[in-house]
Amino acid sequence: MSDTTHKSGLHGAGDDEYTPTGTDQVAENLAALDDEEADLRAASLRAGLEDYELDEDDAALLDGLYGDEGEEGPLQLDPVLAIIGRPNVGKSTLVNRILGRREAVVEDVPGVTRDRVMYSARWNGKNFTLVDTGGWEHDAKGIHARVAEQAEMAVELADAVLFVVDSAVGATATDEGVMKMLRKSKKPVILVANKVDDFAQEADSAALWGLGFGEPYPVSALHGRGVADLLDKVIDTLPEFSQVESVDRSGGPRRIALIGRPNVGKSSLLNKLAGSERVVVDNLAGTTRDPVDEFIELGDRTWRFVDTAGIRRRQHMAQGADFYASLRTQAALEKAEVAVVLLAVDEVLSEQDVRILQLAIESGRALVLAFNKWDLLDDERRRYLEREIEQDLAHVEWAPRVNISAKTGWHKDRLVPALDKALESWDRRIPTGRLNAFLGELVAAHPHPVRGGKQPRILFGTQASSRPPKFVLFTTGFLDPGYRRFITRRLRETFGFEGTPIEVSMRVREKRGRKK
């Protein structure tokens, strides 16, 4: 049995949307169907699934045993593990080993980095967030101070720390500087003696006892030696949920993350909304370093805004605090409910803008696009802008658009209806009866194309959760990516979902007695 997931808005070449021939009356037929009849149809389809091979997870999903549980309680995030150490001790190699895949860029050059620094990891059934603090620019001038500064910022966000030392080299002056900071932080520290490739080299790691963090764990990140024992220790050390990053979502103001590239106007917008110079504003890109939470009255309600540091295109070009500004931006997105992405209309939409949008989509948050500096737009630039939006933002055409001026506050009131619409869609649930009636009407009018003499069928559909809406389709075969995109678009047209990403996944199931 195979499970395949496709996220709305994320597609590549060859995934062009299925284009049906002719029109249909899906919406009209659905409107004419009463809820009782829709529920009866869904019950019949649900009973038909008993003829197929289902696992325990399928049963839990169909019985509604997981999905949105705990939505009204505290938002409990996975514990955070930071990996710190001086350049070229093998941190990124260890990250890849823990993840079981090549995510972090590894080169035999100190300070190499990559765009992402936070990763979701899992060991023995336990989820945690891994923070790679690699990628520091290697500069002989002041390297000790800067390494310690960056490590301190990472530790602030972490529940526990892996302190990686090159066993063959031993503890250096830089290592000792980081060690002093770790003692002050009072965070749990696990000492990792890396590059211990065989038993004979373990004697080198014993010398690290002197750092004062207890027994060093000898590992070879490159070959995997000792990593399992290290991860067992990690799981024992980490709390069940993060004690650092937590948000109470039982009522209270809705949470909004302002994100965008540096100098796009995020701090100016926050100041205008707050009615005060709450955040330092400077033409120098990246002035903001830490997210600043602000409770703001807007539209007769209180909202919780988080102003985040601008995301630089290449994080390895960011030094010191700037490197962690990007890390904090990702953390702010994780805690938010809706992302407001600011785009400067007086500049050409860049690859960087699209990448930031992708980050917001992948976070699963509701989305509003705010086109800033609209008061600077002339007719010629407006024509080019519309073309850029059509070409570069087609994958987020479902997101509400607001034209504003952060500097003057023009149209700032229009943010409220856009936020309301996006959050309402993000929270929305479709009754199972209505969802299956929609799928039945749509497939009857536009069946999946025949592939290799076979035509996969949709047996049953259910909404697994909201925030964002996630749908699961039980099918007899693999649905083409283009056909799934077609279903996603029609879901939006029929039920709204303006301003939220949608996740549609398949569970391909075979009839009992037909196992291969």
Side-chain angles (χ1 to χ4, degrees):
M1 290 189 261
S2 62
D3 293 352
T4 306
T5 300
H6 166 79
K7 292 188 178 181
S8 170
L10 310 180
H11 58 280
D15 290 352
D16 291 341
E17 184 179 317
Y18 164 79
T19 303
T21 56
T23 58
D24 59 62
Q25 279 74 47
V26 172
E28 293 83 353
N29 293 343
L30 200 60
L33 186 68
D34 62 49
D35 290 341
E36 184 177 355
E37 185 178 353
D39 290 342
L40 286 172
R41 287 189 190 180
S44 176
L45 293 172
R46 168 70 178 84
L49 281 180
E50 299 300 327
D51 295 334
Y52 289 80
E53 294 284 349
L54 303 179
D55 57 28
E56 291 182 1
D57 191 52
D58 295 336
L61 172 65
L62 293 168
D63 292 338
L65 297 183
Y66 72 86
D68 295 330
E69 68 273 12
E71 271 193 359
E72 297 306 317
L75 175 59
Q76 296 176 307
L77 303 180
D78 291 336
V80 179
L81 177 70
I83 297 184
I84 68 171
R86 61 182 178 78
N88 211 29
V89 294
K91 296 183 298 297
S92 294
T93 303
L94 184 57
V95 168
N96 289 334
R97 177 64 61 181
I98 292 173
L99 296 176
R101 60 188 184 275
R102 186 180 174 87
E103 285 275 2
V105 174
V106 178
E107 291 183 20
D108 193 20
V109 177
V112 173
T113 190
R114 72 261 122 241
D115 282 340
R116 295 184 60 192
V117 293
M118 296 180 72
Y119 307 96
S120 294
R122 185 177 179 87
W123 180 254
N124 283 350
K126 172 82 171 180
N127 295 322
F128 60 97
T129 297
L130 191 63
V131 177
D132 178 10
T133 61
W136 302 329
E137 287 288 316
H138 187 66
D139 180 356
K141 296 179 181 179
I143 182 65
H144 304 316
R146 198 162 74 240
V147 168
E149 176 191 2
Q150 292 181 344
E152 189 169 1
M153 294 175 189
V155 171
E156 286 178 13
L157 297 174
D159 294 287
V161 177
L162 287 186
F163 180 21
V164 184
V165 178
D166 186 332
S167 178
V169 174
T172 66
T174 300
D175 292 322
E176 292 176 0
V178 175
M179 172 193 68
K180 293 177 182 177
M181 178 275 299
L182 288 175
R183 284 180 182 153
K184 291 180 182 178
S185 75
K186 301 188 183 304
K187 296 289 180 73
V189 176
I190 302 171
L191 181 59
V192 182
N194 192 26
K195 305 184 182 180
V196 179
D197 297 328
D198 55 45
F199 181 77
Q201 294 177 318
E202 288 194 10
D204 295 334
S205 66
L208 300 177
W209 271 93
L211 290 175
F213 291 118
E215 181 181 3
Y217 278 76
V219 305
S220 171
L222 184 62
H223 303 295
R225 185 176 186 270
V227 173
D229 290 338
L230 172 64
L231 287 175
D232 287 341
K233 174 65 174 178
V234 165
I235 297 306
D236 289 341
T237 303
L238 287 172
E240 182 178 5
F241 299 105
S242 177
Q243 303 300 305
V244 180
E245 302 289 353
S246 61
V247 174
D248 186 359
R249 60 178 176 186
S250 54
R254 305 305 294 259
R255 302 181 305 281
I256 304 163
L258 294 177
I259 64 173
R261 55 189 165 92
N263 210 26
V264 77
K266 297 180 299 300
S267 297
S268 295
L269 177 59
L270 187 65
N271 284 335
K272 188 57 65 173
L273 294 173
S276 65
E277 291 299 312
R278 176 69 171 81
V279 183
V280 175
V281 178
D282 195 290
N283 287 331
L284 178 64
T287 302
T288 305
R289 294 294 172 83
D290 296 335
V292 180
D293 285 15
E294 182 72 28
F295 291 93
I296 291 173
E297 294 293 326
L298 196 62
D300 298 323
R301 276 176 291 158
T302 301
W303 304 78
R304 183 172 183 166
F305 278 77
V306 178
D307 178 65
T308 52
I311 303 174
R312 296 181 180 276
R313 177 169 182 178
R314 301 180 191 275
Q315 288 184 351
H316 69 268
M317 298 303 293
Q319 297 182 0
D322 287 332
F323 180 85
Y324 283 95
S326 186
L327 172 63
R328 292 178 183 275
T329 297
Q330 293 184 18
L333 256 181
E334 188 171 332
K335 294 185 293 182
E337 295 175 288
V338 57
V340 175
V341 180
L342 265 68
L343 303 163
V345 299
D346 63 333
E347 301 176 38
V348 175
L349 288 175
S350 66
E351 178 186 344
Q352 187 180 11
D353 291 317
V354 176
R355 185 173 63 82
I356 291 168
L357 274 167
Q358 194 70 11
L359 184 66
I361 295 169
E362 290 175 351
S363 74
R365 300 307 177 252
L367 179 64
V368 172
L369 305 183
F371 289 87
N372 189 26
K373 307 181 184 180
W374 199 264
D375 52 330
L376 303 180
L377 197 65
D378 56 33
D379 290 340
E380 182 179 4
R381 174 62 188 142
R382 188 190 305 269
R383 288 194 298 271
Y384 283 108
L385 177 63
E386 289 300 329
R387 188 181 308 167
E388 291 166 19
I389 291 172
E390 184 178 340
Q391 291 176 348
D392 299 329
L393 304 183
H395 64 300
V396 287
E397 61 183 359
W398 42 266
R401 290 172 49 182
V402 181
N403 302 329
I404 63 172
S405 170
K407 186 175 182 180
T408 66
W410 180 75
H411 279 179
K412 68 177 183 180
D413 56 314
R414 295 192 178 182
L415 274 174
V416 173
L419 290 169
D420 282 338
K421 183 178 294 183
L423 284 166
E424 181 184 356
S425 298
W426 194 62
D427 291 333
R428 181 168 297 144
R429 263 195 168 279
I430 305 303
T432 303
R434 284 275 147 198
L435 175 62
N436 281 280
F438 159 78
L439 291 170
E441 293 287 345
L442 187 68
V443 171
H446 309 292
H448 191 287
V450 176
R451 295 285 185 260
K454 297 181 179 180
Q455 186 176 45
R457 293 186 298 116
I458 299 175
L459 302 169
F460 187 76
T462 186
Q463 184 173 350
S465 63
S466 57
R467 301 185 171 191
K470 296 181 181 180
F471 299 91
V472 177
L473 307 181
F474 289 85
T475 68
T476 62
F478 185 82
L479 302 182
D480 289 349
Y483 194 77
R484 294 198 305 270
R485 283 174 44 74
F486 169 65
I487 292 175
T488 299
R489 179 174 62 82
R490 294 302 297 268
L491 273 170
R492 291 190 184 282
E493 292 175 357
T494 306
F495 297 109
F497 293 123
E498 184 177 359
T500 181
I502 296 177
E503 182 176 318
V504 177
S505 65
M506 295 179 306
R507 297 192 179 188
V508 179
R509 298 297 180 251
E510 295 182 348
K511 271 200 170 183
R512 297 184 186 279
R514 292 179 53 192
K515 292 183 180 179
K516 294 183 180 178

